[in-house]
Amino acid sequence: MSKFPPFLLVVAFLFNLSLEAQNTKPPFLKYTNSKWVDSVMTTLSPDERIAQLIMVAAYSNRGEDHKQEILKLINEQKVGGLIFFQGDPESQVKLMNEYQEASKVPLLGAIDAEWGLGMRLDSTISYPYQMALGAVQEEDLIYELGIEVGRQIRRSGLHLNFAPVVDVNNNPNNPVINYRSFGEDKYNVARKATAYMQGMQDAKLLTTAKHFPGHGDTDTDSHYALPQINHPVVRLDSLELYPFKEVIKAGIGGVMVAHLNIPALDSTGVPSTLSKPIITGLLKEELGFEGLIVTDAMNMKGVTEGNEPGIVDKDAILAGNDLLEFTVEVSKAISEIRKSINQGLISQKEIDSRARKILAVKQWVGLNNYKPVELKNILEEINTPKAVYLKRKLVEASLTVLKNTNNVIPVQELESLRIASVSFGTMERTNFQETLDLYAGITHFNLPADASELMVQTLKDQLQNYDLVISGIHDFSKFPRNNLRLNEDVLQLIKELASKDNSIFAFFKNPYVLNKIDGIEDAAGLVVAYQDNEETQEVAAQLIFGGIGANGKLPVSVGEKFKAGDGLEVEGGIRFSYTLPEAAGMDSEILRTRIDSLMNLAMEMKATPGAQILVARDQKVIFHKAYGSHTYSDTVTVKKDDVYDLASVTKISTSMAALMELYEQGKFKLDGTLADHLPSFRRSNKADIPFYDILTHQARFQPWIPFWKDTFRKNGSYKRKTFKKTPSEDYPIKIKDGMYLHKDYPHKIVKAIKNSPLREKKEYVYSDFFFILAPRVVESRTDLSFTDFLQQNFYKPLGATTVGFNPQLPLYRIVPTENDFLFRQQPIHGTVHDEGAIMLGGVSGHAGLFANSNDLAKLLQMYLNGGNYGGKQYLEEQTLQKFTETTFPNTDNHRALGFDKPHYNEKGESRNTAQDASAASFGHTGFTGIMVWMDPEVDLLYIFLSNRVHPTRDNHKLYSLNTRTEIHQVLYDAIKK
């Protein structure tokens, strides 16, 4: 007896009726009796109507013989459709156009593209497998995927996708569904499948939910044998069938029937594909499905074992299927179905009804007005920037954080950490490790899956020296199956690392495999990325350092370690993310084509041998590229991590950073003077000039003094006691090998600046003088050296490992500058280009800093962020505002305090920036061919590093071509309005 009162049972019954009444019918059904369908049906013979129910396999990579075989089937058997497998888009479209031309009735083109065209076709996009999509929390993103996959498949000339997989994967050992499922939670599976299906169908691509009535709880692959499911009807109805009911309610166009033996639904033991109780009784009558019913491939052993070709196809039709996928012997299939009609096993009327259904689908997808598919630009139109960006969004959204003890993710306090990374399963540097390098100084290790006991012990000993170990567990196989190749010694090391509180693991495998790794659940940080490819490795590394966040939820349970639905939210956006222009509202094509064009012209005209360009918007690095070579004569190509001499950009990257910090500490005042910091200037002509005027270059200082010239006598020889060939306590300053400057010479430089005359008129004249003195000004208010002050307060906590003076790097990573025939008489490579800076030991506030574009960007992005980066407030927002706004707006001086600002001529044309750069923007340029610029109004950062002074400083072509500012303008043109 029911435990519910009678009136509640009546309410429930009426509610169910209401739900059934709300079912959305498949969209093509309205055309089953259309004029076009009627007209086509009148032209078809009875056998041709049968042939409409048959779809044969086609390949675009099998040559002429295969093509002729398909044409023969089209011409002689009049098949209704083709399912395409391996090949490429161009060949597929070309062939499909030829096949359509040969066909009496337009062909229905299908593909099995569960994760997009990349599942089958070369040169196309593979989106994440459905297991990863099951972790995504935004169904809108899955719908967007459906729209995009639908668009791409339609562009490739096809109309039907045998997807999505709607199976609930509740068997971790399932060998055929597994990562192809949205997971084990029936509600999650139903939601994701519905969103994916609706997106594809809204793009006019018919879909089929598979594998009815549910292939998730099997441990047999139906490609090779017939799986058996022994659950009772109650269990099947409540679990396996649930997602199918939901997508049917939502109006899915098709359902694919699996090859399964399900005694509870059909006791005869026949495959479900051939079962009338399952297809007609359950799917059509009980569930009320009126759409297209498709068999799974009719060449699979799950259905062919013990069944003859042709006869098995006939049995599938008798069971209730509308469309036969991958019929092997078409002629025999038609003959056997004809025999069944003659024997009264099925009526011609029923065959005609199914043929009408196929034709209705063809009309719905537009084949009643068929036109050949355009071949031109097909790859570009399939692989659009928007399509590529969607893949990145899905990968990011799938990331699942299962452990984050003490908020170890994102990594903080970089200045206090010695960090190591280990890639398990490979001896090659991984993309994961290369991406980690973008954030901090990291020592990398690799351990193969079959590492010896000695290799494991050696690595274990080495890792003792690090405060944080970030590990990637890799797969590298095409599909994320449940296998684990790591040997016992490697697994033991993983267990030991995970037991410590300084371990973070990124898992690039099927989540079920976590259950095979003892102790992995004890790791302080654990990120599941589901697959192992370039994108998953990049975004996992970005998550660990806070470039992006995560909110994915585990779609399956992992033994007793983790349950479906587990997943911690981690806030991102504290450091750079590295992504695509579309992520920041910019156009990839504009950036790529126009920046490449301008750079190629500059290199062709020998304006510079090469360059690094970095563009970030909204703290997203959306363009980072290296061009050309180190010099015109060598073959060393510029790499993105090579370092450049920043020349005068040193001013805003060292002096201004330090002075703003001291300003906030009350140790540097803008109305103060040099005399307040440097006692020797108290009686000089510069004693009373305020820093407001000094930092805006209107202090009446001389532009510069060629200090190096003062080391020569009139006869061209060096002055006595200026240089020695060997270093010593008195001659410690290295100018070059065999040339060491006296220790007192920097004092002579300071004295020369102090004694230099002032210009008569107070006006803007750019001068290096103060910035040469800036280290001494800073050191007058701190116990640290200028370099240590900068490292401790800025570069180390920022993770800007290459930013610094006198770079201690291999020469092949340092881009050379000028061939100096005036002072050093040699090519300048590895030391500062500026003569004054080298005479100061390579350390100065006006020149001498080296960096690559990525590390320099961290400091500049901090400026752009109002002083914040990586979760740390370095400077106050009001400080940055004060120092970067035009100081004297009502004068001819356009400068800020130390920073450059847009400078316009009488016509309002910018002289030094992109025309569209805002008045709030600021930056600096450098003599060696550098430009950096920040625009807070559009949150845009631009870095251009080059060595235009090679081979000599007389090379002004970079200026005459205006390359830097032309590229700067491209960035504004690429911002989508």
Side-chain angles (χ1 to χ4, degrees):
M1 186 174 180
S2 172
K3 62 181 179 180
F4 297 106
F7 77 94
L8 284 182
L9 291 176
V10 172
V11 170
F13 175 73
L14 292 175
F15 178 69
N16 287 331
L17 284 181
S18 174
L19 282 180
E20 290 177 8
Q22 293 173 16
N23 284 2
T24 302
K25 290 192 175 185
F28 66 85
L29 288 177
K30 61 183 178 181
Y31 295 113
T32 51
N33 294 300
S34 69
K35 291 182 179 180
W36 183 78
V37 171
D38 288 344
S39 68
V40 174
M41 286 293 290
T42 61
T43 69
L44 299 178
S45 68
D47 280 2
E48 288 173 348
R49 295 177 185 186
I50 296 172
Q52 283 296 304
L53 314 185
I54 294 175
M55 179 172 280
V56 296
Y59 300 78
S60 57
N61 63 352
R62 288 198 175 178
E64 186 64 24
D65 289 346
H66 176 71
K67 172 183 168 182
Q68 293 304 321
E69 180 184 337
I70 299 299
L71 285 171
K72 184 176 181 180
L73 289 171
I74 292 170
N75 289 319
E76 295 182 4
Q77 303 300 327
K78 305 296 190 294
V79 293
L82 305 173
I83 174 173
F84 277 88
F85 289 92
Q86 293 91 357
D88 63 87
E90 300 100 320
S91 301
Q92 178 176 286
V93 166
K94 186 177 179 181
L95 283 173
M96 191 58 170
N97 285 342
E98 291 187 51
Y99 295 151
Q100 293 284 26
E101 182 66 26
S103 183
K104 176 180 177 179
V105 178
L107 295 160
L108 188 64
I111 195 167
D112 188 356
E114 296 166 18
W115 50 86
L117 282 176
M119 181 174 175
R120 298 297 180 191
L121 300 184
D122 300 335
S123 307
T124 57
I125 301 170
S126 288
Y127 288 101
Y129 300 125
Q130 286 186 200
M131 180 75 78
L133 298 180
V136 175
Q137 295 306 293
E138 300 83 21
E139 264 83 52
D140 287 350
L141 200 53
I142 308 299
Y143 173 79
E144 186 181 345
L145 172 64
I147 287 280
E148 182 55 38
V149 169
R151 183 194 70 81
Q152 292 179 30
I153 293 176
R154 289 307 308 267
R155 181 64 184 88
S156 72
L158 306 180
H159 322 97
L160 171 60
N161 190 11
F162 291 135
V165 171
V166 183
D167 304 312
V168 178
N169 198 81
N170 40 26
N171 186 339
N173 297 317
N174 194 318
V176 63
I177 304 304
N178 204 298
Y179 61 87
R180 296 164 60 200
S181 165
F182 288 115
E184 72 176 48
D185 182 277
K186 65 181 183 180
Y187 302 107
N188 188 41
V189 170
R191 290 194 304 271
K192 298 296 191 303
T194 299
Y196 193 19
M197 171 270 291
Q198 287 178 330
M200 287 189 279
Q201 291 192 174
D202 284 352
K204 281 290 183 178
L205 179 77
L206 198 71
T207 60
T208 58
K210 62 185 187 186
H211 304 81
F212 185 84
H215 207 321
D217 195 4
T218 68
D219 54 12
T220 302
D221 188 340
S222 54
H223 290 85
Y224 307 106
L226 181 64
Q228 187 173 72
I229 295 180
N230 291 310
H231 297 302
V233 171
V234 172
R235 149 68 189 262
L236 294 170
D237 182 63
S238 64
L239 182 58
E240 275 79 7
L241 287 174
Y242 178 82
F244 289 97
K245 294 177 185 178
E246 293 301 301
V247 296
I248 288 171
K249 288 179 186 177
I252 196 165
V255 168
M256 177 184 285
V257 183
H259 306 312
L260 299 169
N261 176 10
I262 312 176
L265 299 180
D266 188 337
S267 60
T268 66
V270 301
S272 47
T273 336
L274 312 181
S275 170
K276 192 166 186 177
I278 290 175
I279 298 172
T280 299
L282 177 59
L283 181 56
K284 286 186 175 181
E285 295 173 359
E286 288 190 39
L287 300 185
F289 183 63
E290 300 178 54
L292 192 70
I293 301 176
V294 185
T295 68
D296 206 342
M298 297 301 289
N299 68 331
M300 294 166 62
K301 287 189 177 180
V303 72
T304 62
E305 196 73 34
N307 295 304
E308 293 182 30
I311 294 175
V312 74
D313 300 278
K314 172 262 296 182
D315 290 343
I317 292 296
L318 294 180
N321 291 288
D322 299 312
L323 182 62
L324 302 170
E325 179 206 347
F326 212 135
T327 293
V328 178
E329 294 190 18
V330 176
S331 177
K332 189 172 181 182
I334 293 174
S335 174
E336 291 295 332
I337 295 169
R338 171 56 49 202
K339 284 181 187 178
S340 296
I341 296 171
N342 294 338
Q343 293 168 358
L345 300 176
I346 190 171
S347 67
Q348 183 66 50
K349 182 179 179 182
E350 177 61 26
I351 295 295
D352 290 353
S353 173
R354 298 186 197 180
R356 281 182 172 276
K357 195 182 285 188
I358 301 293
L359 292 172
V361 171
K362 292 182 178 182
Q363 182 170 356
W364 181 72
V365 297
L367 285 172
N368 57 316
N369 294 310
Y370 167 74
K371 294 179 182 179
V373 177
E374 177 62 53
L375 189 60
K376 185 179 180 182
N377 297 327
I378 184 169
L379 281 180
E380 292 84 354
E381 292 177 15
I382 287 176
N383 302 310
T384 63
K386 180 181 178 183
V388 175
Y389 174 47
L390 174 59
K391 179 177 182 179
R392 177 57 66 106
K393 287 196 292 184
L394 289 163
V395 173
E396 289 183 7
S398 71
L399 289 177
T400 304
V401 178
L402 293 178
K403 293 294 295 298
N404 193 20
T405 306
N406 296 324
N407 295 316
V408 67
I409 302 172
V411 176
Q412 300 277 23
E413 299 179 355
L414 300 183
E415 67 274 21
S416 63
L417 294 176
R418 292 166 299 169
I419 306 174
S421 84
V422 183
S423 280
F424 287 98
T426 177
M427 283 302 288
E428 296 181 1
R429 180 72 57 88
T430 61
N431 202 49
F432 176 63
Q433 292 173 310
E434 290 178 355
T435 307
L436 292 174
D437 269 336
L438 296 172
Y439 291 97
I442 298 176
T443 304
H444 300 295
F445 301 93
N446 296 75
L447 195 68
D450 58 352
S452 67
E453 184 178 354
L454 177 60
M455 292 174 68
V456 172
Q457 185 60 48
T458 300
L459 175 58
K460 179 180 175 181
D461 293 342
Q462 291 172 315
L463 294 178
Q464 299 297 323
N465 299 318
Y466 293 91
D467 305 303
L468 176 66
V469 179
I470 302 172
S471 300
I473 299 179
H474 294 275
D475 191 299
F476 298 113
S477 58
K478 184 176 181 181
F479 303 112
R481 304 192 191 279
N482 288 19
N483 61 312
L484 180 65
R485 298 183 298 117
L486 306 178
N487 69 26
E488 288 303 318
D489 289 323
V490 175
L491 289 173
Q492 181 60 33
L493 177 58
I494 291 174
K495 181 178 181 180
E496 291 182 27
L497 289 177
S499 68
K500 300 178 180 180
D501 59 7
N502 67 338
S503 62
I504 297 174
F505 284 87
F507 195 71
F508 301 104
K509 293 176 69 67
N510 189 313
Y512 286 129
V513 181
L514 287 168
N515 207 36
K516 300 180 180 181
I517 304 178
D518 289 343
I520 189 72
E521 67 275 16
D522 296 326
L526 178 58
V527 178
V528 176
Y530 300 95
Q531 296 171 228
D532 200 352
N533 55 42
E534 183 176 311
E535 288 85 3
T536 57
Q537 290 188 35
E538 286 181 4
V539 300
Q542 293 184 40
L543 166 63
I544 288 169
F545 278 96
I548 60 174
N551 68 345
K553 304 293 182 185
L554 196 64
V556 294
S557 295
V558 181
E560 297 300 317
K561 296 180 177 181
F562 303 104
K563 298 301 180 186
D566 285 354
L568 304 169
E569 291 196 17
V570 174
E571 194 76 23
I574 67 169
R575 294 189 179 94
F576 280 126
S577 64
Y578 297 83
T579 183
L580 303 170
E582 280 66 27
M586 298 179 76
D587 190 302
S588 293
E589 285 300 300
I590 290 176
L591 290 172
R592 181 182 60 81
T593 57
R594 290 176 57 186
I595 293 177
D596 282 358
S597 177
L598 288 164
M599 271 308 306
N600 289 334
L601 175 63
M603 292 185 294
E604 182 183 331
M605 297 294 291
K606 287 187 165 33
T608 180
Q612 281 177 21
I613 298 176
L614 184 145
V615 181
R617 190 179 187 214
D618 300 334
Q619 202 168 265
K620 299 178 177 73
V621 176
I622 51 85
F623 190 94
H624 188 199
K625 190 170 181 179
Y627 292 88
S629 56
H630 282 202
T631 69
Y632 295 110
S633 59
D634 66 28
T635 58
V636 180
T637 58
V638 178
K639 308 292 192 305
K640 289 192 289 187
D641 62 351
D642 289 343
V643 301
Y644 279 83
D645 181 332
L646 302 184
S648 284
V649 169
T650 299
K651 294 179 174 68
I652 65 168
S653 306
T654 63
S655 301
M656 296 315 304
L659 292 175
M660 285 188 285
E661 172 66 21
L662 293 177
Y663 171 82
E664 291 187 354
Q665 295 178 14
K667 297 177 180 180
F668 175 80
K669 300 183 183 301
L670 291 170
D671 56 1
T673 69
L674 281 170
D676 296 332
H677 297 264
L678 305 177
S680 64
F681 277 74
R682 289 174 184 168
R683 295 185 180 181
S684 73
N685 57 4
K686 302 170 183 65
D688 300 325
I689 302 174
F691 284 119
Y692 276 112
D693 287 336
I694 293 173
L695 292 175
T696 53
H697 299 276
Q698 63 175 31
R700 298 163 58 203
F701 291 174
Q702 301 295 322
W704 71 298
I705 296 174
F707 302 107
W708 62 275
K709 287 185 178 181
D710 192 48
T711 65
F712 288 98
R713 295 190 179 97
K714 291 183 179 180
N715 63 5
S717 63
Y718 293 120
K719 289 182 179 178
R720 185 171 173 271
K721 296 185 178 180
T722 302
F723 298 106
K724 293 290 185 182
K725 291 183 178 181
T726 57
S728 66
E729 185 177 345
D730 288 335
Y731 290 85
I733 303 171
K734 183 178 180 179
I735 305 300
K736 66 174 183 177
D737 287 340
M739 187 177 182
Y740 295 86
L741 184 64
H742 193 276
K743 64 180 180 182
D744 291 336
Y745 210 90
H747 300 293
K748 290 185 178 183
I749 291 175
V750 173
K751 185 176 180 180
I753 292 173
K754 183 188 74 171
N755 294 335
S756 64
L758 294 175
R759 294 170 58 86
E760 292 185 7
K761 187 177 180 182
K762 182 180 177 180
E763 60 185 353
Y764 166 65
V765 174
Y766 184 83
S767 173
D768 281 345
F769 279 6
F770 166 71
F771 292 94
I772 293 173
L773 303 172
R776 295 169 182 254
V777 170
V778 171
E779 290 168 354
S780 73
R781 293 294 185 267
T782 176
D783 294 332
L784 298 172
S785 69
F786 187 55
T787 55
D788 288 346
F789 185 85
L790 291 166
Q791 288 290 342
Q792 290 188 25
N793 285 283
F794 296 101
Y795 306 152
K796 284 184 178 180
L798 284 167
T801 57
T802 66
V803 180
F805 298 102
N806 296 316
Q808 303 300 305
L809 293 170
L811 283 179
Y812 66 81
R813 286 194 56 194
I814 306 172
V815 180
T817 50
E818 186 177 15
N819 295 331
D820 182 0
F821 297 114
L822 299 175
F823 179 40
R824 282 166 277 187
Q825 305 297 321
Q826 68 175 22
I828 306 305
H829 191 186
T831 56
V832 61
H833 172 265
D834 184 90
E835 296 89 354
I838 195 65
M839 297 174 78
L840 292 166
V843 179
S844 178
H846 79 292
L849 198 67
F850 286 75
N852 64 36
S853 52
N854 182 67
D855 282 341
L856 178 61
K858 297 169 187 176
L859 177 72
L860 303 184
Q861 185 67 46
M862 180 269 286
Y863 291 165
L864 193 53
N865 289 351
N868 188 283
Y869 187 82
K872 178 176 180 177
Q873 194 72 36
Y874 291 83
L875 298 168
E876 296 302 320
E877 186 171 1
Q878 56 267 32
T879 300
L880 267 302
Q881 176 69 31
K882 184 174 188 65
F883 276 76
T884 61
E885 65 186 5
T886 302
T887 307
F888 301 106
N890 298 319
T891 69
D892 292 334
N893 188 342
H894 69 282
R895 304 286 295 211
L897 294 168
F899 293 87
D900 200 0
K901 298 283 288 181
H903 187 202
Y904 304 98
N905 62 19
E906 299 79 10
K907 297 179 181 179
E909 298 168 336
S910 177
R911 294 178 176 178
N912 61 337
T913 68
Q915 184 61 37
D916 288 346
S918 76
S921 68
F922 56 95
H924 216 285
T925 56
F927 185 75
T928 51
I930 314 296
M931 180 176 180
V932 302
W933 212 265
M934 294 143 276
D935 193 337
E937 286 200 1
V938 289
D939 203 356
L940 184 68
L941 168 62
Y942 168 50
I943 297 177
F944 183 100
L945 306 183
S946 78
N947 56 333
R948 70 97 197 160
V949 294
H950 179 82
T952 77
R953 68 188 68 194
D954 297 327
N955 180 10
H956 300 296
K957 292 178 182 176
L958 196 67
Y959 303 146
S960 59
L961 291 172
N962 207 22
T963 303
R964 296 177 296 182
T965 51
E966 290 283 349
I967 291 174
H968 195 199
Q969 181 58 44
V970 170
L971 311 186
Y972 289 90
D973 295 342
I975 294 175
K976 296 176 180 178
K977 301 297 188 289

